[in-house]
Amino acid sequence: MTIAIDGPAASGKSTVGERLAKALGYLFFDTGVMYRAVTWVALQRLGSVEDEAAVTRLAEVVQIDVQPPSQNDGRQADVWVDGDDVTWAIRRPEVDQWVSRVAAYPGVRQAMTQQQRRIGLRGKVVMIGRDITTVVLPEAEAKIYLDASVEERARRRYLERKARGEEVNYEEILESLRQRDHLDSTREVAPLRVAPDAIVVNTDGLSVDEVVQKILAQIN
């Protein structure tokens, strides 16, 4: 079985998806790390992500790999870009700021989508993202849309970064997520939306275990 999970930023997709994959013995694949990796590379090598053609060319040649976690530091997987471990680098605020723009570039999405489909079609995988149920794997046997209020999502992101020792501001995170939601839902290519046959799960007020059990019940 292939399980596809979509939802807005910080709705709990990563945590729930990873827990679900472990419960089923499936591969956990967070497709968002690919777009974060391209954004990070563009900022490092190009200085910005403004040049769509340049970023697209970069996405077509950069080597991105995702492996099981090699360190017990909270990571869900190792993310490698051309042989460098960028697992935490791609979670930095500057990547958060620009990843939606990069992910909206048609050429970048095309380059990443082909890689994602190849992995997903092998089966026994939980894939999370923003267009998995609608674009990447519309044939997935189970489609889930995880949702939560923007305030709850900002709180989660704030606590996550604070736990890593970062200096963070809740209001800035809240505004960033609001902007991210707008960009994700209004982009011309593969906008964030609920697939007609997806199961919608609102995670406000629910623990991770409760959400996982709810999804497992629906799948069963």
Side-chain angles (χ1 to χ4, degrees):
M1 172 179 266
T2 298
I3 301 173
I5 303 178
D6 285 335
S11 58
K13 298 187 301 294
S14 295
T15 305
V16 170
E18 183 183 32
R19 192 78 62 87
L20 186 63
K22 285 183 178 179
L24 295 170
Y26 281 13
L27 168 69
F28 172 66
F29 181 29
D30 179 357
T31 60
V33 300
M34 288 190 166
Y35 296 104
R36 286 181 168 275
V38 173
T39 302
W40 182 82
V41 172
L43 291 172
Q44 294 295 309
R45 301 182 187 178
L46 304 176
S48 76
V49 300
E50 302 288 343
D51 188 336
E52 179 178 345
V55 174
T56 298
R57 287 194 297 270
L58 197 58
E60 292 171 344
V61 300
V62 71
Q63 296 297 311
I64 303 172
D65 195 15
V66 180
Q67 298 286 343
S70 62
Q71 300 179 45
N72 187 24
D73 60 356
R75 67 180 64 195
Q76 294 167 322
D78 288 354
V79 182
W80 299 84
V81 170
D82 290 337
D84 294 326
D85 184 347
V86 299
T87 304
W88 291 123
I90 64 173
R91 298 290 178 182
R92 294 187 60 80
E94 57 266 32
V95 175
D96 286 348
Q97 182 180 357
W98 296 109
V99 66
S100 282
R101 175 174 293 192
V102 171
Y105 292 155
V108 173
R109 297 205 71 85
Q110 183 177 2
M112 298 299 103
T113 295
Q114 294 307 310
Q115 296 186 51
Q116 292 162 13
R117 278 189 61 80
R118 185 171 62 252
I119 296 172
L121 290 174
R122 296 171 185 163
K124 290 190 176 181
V125 60
V126 176
M127 294 181 66
I128 70 167
R130 287 175 177 75
D131 62 349
I132 311 303
T133 64
T134 56
V135 177
V136 178
L137 280 175
E139 63 269 58
E141 289 89 347
K143 302 179 185 180
I144 311 295
Y145 188 92
L146 282 189
D147 206 359
S149 67
V150 67
E151 291 81 9
E152 172 63 15
R153 290 185 282 125
R155 185 187 69 85
R156 293 172 183 169
R157 184 61 56 84
Y158 171 82
L159 293 176
E160 175 187 295
R161 289 184 178 166
K162 192 173 181 180
R164 294 206 299 265
E166 298 180 21
E167 291 187 10
V168 289
N169 180 282
Y170 171 81
E171 293 299 330
E172 290 178 358
I173 294 174
L174 179 63
E175 180 57 27
S176 175
L177 285 176
R178 283 174 174 156
Q179 293 178 9
R180 180 77 180 271
D181 287 350
H182 177 73
L183 286 170
D184 286 345
S185 60
T186 59
R187 66 180 176 229
E188 293 184 11
V189 179
L192 174 65
R193 62 184 178 86
V194 182
D197 52 348
I199 301 167
V200 179
V201 178
N202 190 299
T203 65
D204 280 354
L206 297 178
S207 69
V208 174
D209 285 338
E210 288 173 329
V211 175
V212 171
Q213 290 306 314
K214 196 170 185 177
I215 293 174
L216 284 173
Q218 293 284 356
I219 292 174
N220 291 334

